[in-house]
């Protein structure tokens, strides 16, 4: 679809997506409650830190880390894999394919449109983090904010493209549900969502660093809480955006090829 | 406008008998069969035509529509719609067409239909003045005034279908594919939908292809029908000619002032039904005039009409013929 058509339609798509997110407000609250894992992990790791720091993490650092993890999760999460898989199975993807706009763009705007509502949850959490941790809860400089912002956008894109890839596999496999379950487990363990990735032993850490999961969660959290100097931060960002480009290309190719297999079941 | 040559769409379907043993076996070895949903059909449709796709369940009608709309990629054959290859899903193509499926919806479930209309305006890049005019026309013709601001989930099926049709026409498609558009609707709503669809075709000159199990839809809307059976084209022509071919007999419907003897009716033609105040006779076409004359002179007739056999019966007979032909062909194919 042409960029011009897409850009012209984008504001209306976002507005209507927001209206839908508001209509599903109960679902949104349940989703927020379901993503409170960082708060549980915070309680757990704070208890551990009471007897002594874990690496560079004392109680205050854990508060800063897990509240940042909660915020990053709210702002980067995506449900496109499940939605796409469902729509492939039900055949309702057909209704999206009939429109002269990329279904992937439509999915993206639906996810993005939910962010303003999530900010209502994120803002007080950031305020609490600032109150408990102090200035270290957020980037210290404008440049730091810039790097954090870039990592947040990168994390959103990596998560979105992984979701597209997993959802699109429904066009190739009879069910990609189990793959999604495996993905979620890997995400929880390897991304820094349940504990900082630096807690992994060095050998495992090397593997974690080349997988995409850290760039979905750990990196933005680390940059929000000032864990890296500018140089190492830029290296990590380059790796993250490498994943963005790589996954973007692969997801788009798999999607395009997969459409030839779409059976448009039902009706 | 539409050209289809040797269209084939085959699916690989995983087959598995019921039971635990079969389930376990399917883990290591799966058998697939090829299902020929559409098996080599060709036809042309001129701009502005209204064509009905008819066929029993699983005949390949909807598959053909989905190929024409670019949703399915053909296994073989060439398909062109207004100069476009549908499977490429070019923007210009998608802006010219719309597929309305009675069993699928594009309306946003929790928002009022007005929001879907607005979304379609943006996506199809419809200029504001044109959108306003089209919407006013649609709202007026389909009587949507009170509906478009209610959440879609609170609308009845008929109301929803009217809004669905309006949403499909916001960008004034030049080719409209309708797959069972009146399914589940009450009779009055079916009549409204048919009248609207016909008016849209006459006003805009849009090409219209319809599949429906309601023969009244086809009779009211489609001068031409294409019959597909087991993925193959078994008839392409006018509806009248199809009726003439399958059921050349006419039906004489009689209203009677008083009950009459069955033997008297049987002397006039084959009695299809007989009740105290009415009777239906089936007679050869060339005997209609004579039968009518004799009926009027010998029976206490208060009203008389001459009709074709009901379309449902015609189609049923046509499909039975096809089934019998295939069975015969299969028998001949088996070596003695």
């Amino acid at each position: 679809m042409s960029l011009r058509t897409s850009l012209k339609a984008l504001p209306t798509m976002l507005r209507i997506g927001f209206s839908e997110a508001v209509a599903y407000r109960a679902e949104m609250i349940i989703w927020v409650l379901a993503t409170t894992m960082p708060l549980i992990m915070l309680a757990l790791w704070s208890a551990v830190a009471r007897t002594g720091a874990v690496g560079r993490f004392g109680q205050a650092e854990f508060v800063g880390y897990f509240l940042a993890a909660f915020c990053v999760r709210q702002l980067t999460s995506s449900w496109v894999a499940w939605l796409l898989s469902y729509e492939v199975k039900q055949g309702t993807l057909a209704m999206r394919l009939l429109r002269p706009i990329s279904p992937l763009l439509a999915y993206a705007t639906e996810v993005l449109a939910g962010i303003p509502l999530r900010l209502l949850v994120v803002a007080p959490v950031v305020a609490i983090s600032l109150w408990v941790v102090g200035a270290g809860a957020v980037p210290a400089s404008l440049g730091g904010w810039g790097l954090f912002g870039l990592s947040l956008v990168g994390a959103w894109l990596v998560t979105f493209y992984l979701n597209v890839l997993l959802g699109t596999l429904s066009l190739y496999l009879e069910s990609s549900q189990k793959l999604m379950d495996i993905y979620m487990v890997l995400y929880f363990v390897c991304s820094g969502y349940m504990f900082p990735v630096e807690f992994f032993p060095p050998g495992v850490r090397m593997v974690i660093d080349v997988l995409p999961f850290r760039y979905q969660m750990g990196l933005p959290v680390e940059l929000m809480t000032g864990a890296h100097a500018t140089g190492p931060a830029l290296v990590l960002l380059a790796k993250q955006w490498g994943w963005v480009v790589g996954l973007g290309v692969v997801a788009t190719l798999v999607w395009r090829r997969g459409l030839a297999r779409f059976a448009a079941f039902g009706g | 406008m539409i050209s289809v040559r040797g269209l084939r769409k085959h699916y690989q379907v995983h087959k598995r008998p019921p039971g635990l043993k079969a389930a376990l076996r399917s883990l290591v070895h799966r058998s697939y069969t090829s299902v020929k949903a559409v098996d080599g059909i060709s036809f042309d449709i001129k701009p502005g035509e209204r064509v009905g796709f008819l066929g029993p369940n699983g005949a390949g009608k909807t598959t053909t529509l989905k190929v024409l709309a670019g949703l399915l990629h053909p296994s073989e054959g060439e398909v062109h719609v207004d100069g476009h290859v549908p499977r490429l899903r070019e923007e210009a193509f998608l802006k010219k067409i719309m597929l309305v499926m009675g069993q699928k919806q594009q309306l946003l479930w929790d928002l009022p239909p007005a929001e879907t209309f607005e979304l379609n305006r943006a996506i199809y890049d419809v200029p504001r003045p044109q959108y306003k005019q089209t919407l006013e026309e649609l709202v007026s013709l389909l009587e949507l005034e009170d509906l478009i601001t209610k959440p879609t989930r609170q609308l009845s099926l008929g109301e929803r279908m009217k809004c669905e049709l309006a949403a499909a026409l916001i960008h004034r498609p030049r080719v409209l594919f309708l797959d069972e558009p009146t399914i589940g609707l009450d009779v009055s709503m079916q009549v409204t939908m048919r009248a609207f669809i016909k008016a849209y075709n006459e006003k805009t000159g849009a090409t219209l292809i319809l599949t429906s199990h309601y023969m009244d839809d086809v009779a009211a809307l489609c001068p031409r029908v294409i019959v597909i059976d087991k993925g193959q084209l078994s008839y392409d022509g006018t509806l009248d000619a199809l009726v003439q071919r399958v059921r050349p007999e006419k039906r004489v419907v009689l209203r009677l002032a008083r009950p009459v003897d069955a033997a008297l009716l049987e002397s006039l033609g084959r009695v299809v039904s007989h009740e105290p105040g009415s009777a239906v006779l089936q007679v050869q076409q060339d005997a209609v005039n004579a039968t009518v004359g004799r009926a009027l002179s010998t029976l206490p007739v208060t009203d008389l009409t001459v009709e074709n056999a009901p379309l449902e019966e015609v189609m049923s007979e046509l499909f039975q013929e096809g089934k019998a032909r295939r069975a015969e062909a299969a028998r001949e194919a088996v070596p003695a």
Side-chain angles (χ1 to χ4, degrees), chain B residues 48-50 95-100 124 126 130 133-135 137-138 141-142 165-178 192-209 221:
Chain B
E49 264 197 285
R50 296 194 304 267
K95 283 185 172 177
K96 284 179 188 171
I97 65 139
M98 182 40 89
L99 166 63
V100 177
Y124 287 95
V126 181
Q130 184 191 320
Q133 189 198 342
T134 308
L135 189 60
E137 282 172 18
L138 292 169
L141 286 168
L142 286 165
L165 197 56
L169 300 180
I170 289 290
H171 64 292
R172 295 185 185 166
R174 289 168 60 180
V175 184
L176 190 56
F177 303 109
L178 299 161
T192 305
M193 294 285 275
R194 278 178 213 135
F196 176 77
I197 291 166
K198 194 170 181 182
Y200 179 78
N201 160 266
E202 285 168 352
K203 189 181 168 199
T204 64
T207 309
L208 199 148
I209 304 180
L221 287 170

Side-chain angles (χ1 to χ4, degrees), chain B residues 111-114 117 139 142-152 154-156 158-163 189:
Chain B
L111 299 181
F117 300 161
V139 166
L142 286 165
E143 298 172 4
L144 304 177
E145 291 88 351
D146 301 330
L147 308 180
I148 60 171
T149 49
K150 281 188 201 170
T152 301
Q154 290 176 2
L155 301 178
S156 71
E159 292 171 339
R160 221 158 54 222
M161 208 51 222
K162 286 202 295 184
C163 293
M189 195 62 80

Side-chain angles (χ1 to χ4, degrees), chain B residues 305-324:
Chain B
T305 52
V306 179
E307 298 172 356
N308 284 322
L311 264 178
E312 282 79 1
E313 282 185 25
V314 173
M315 296 314 298
S316 168
E317 199 165 313
L318 185 70
F319 300 153
Q320 289 304 324
E321 274 177 19
K323 218 169 161 181

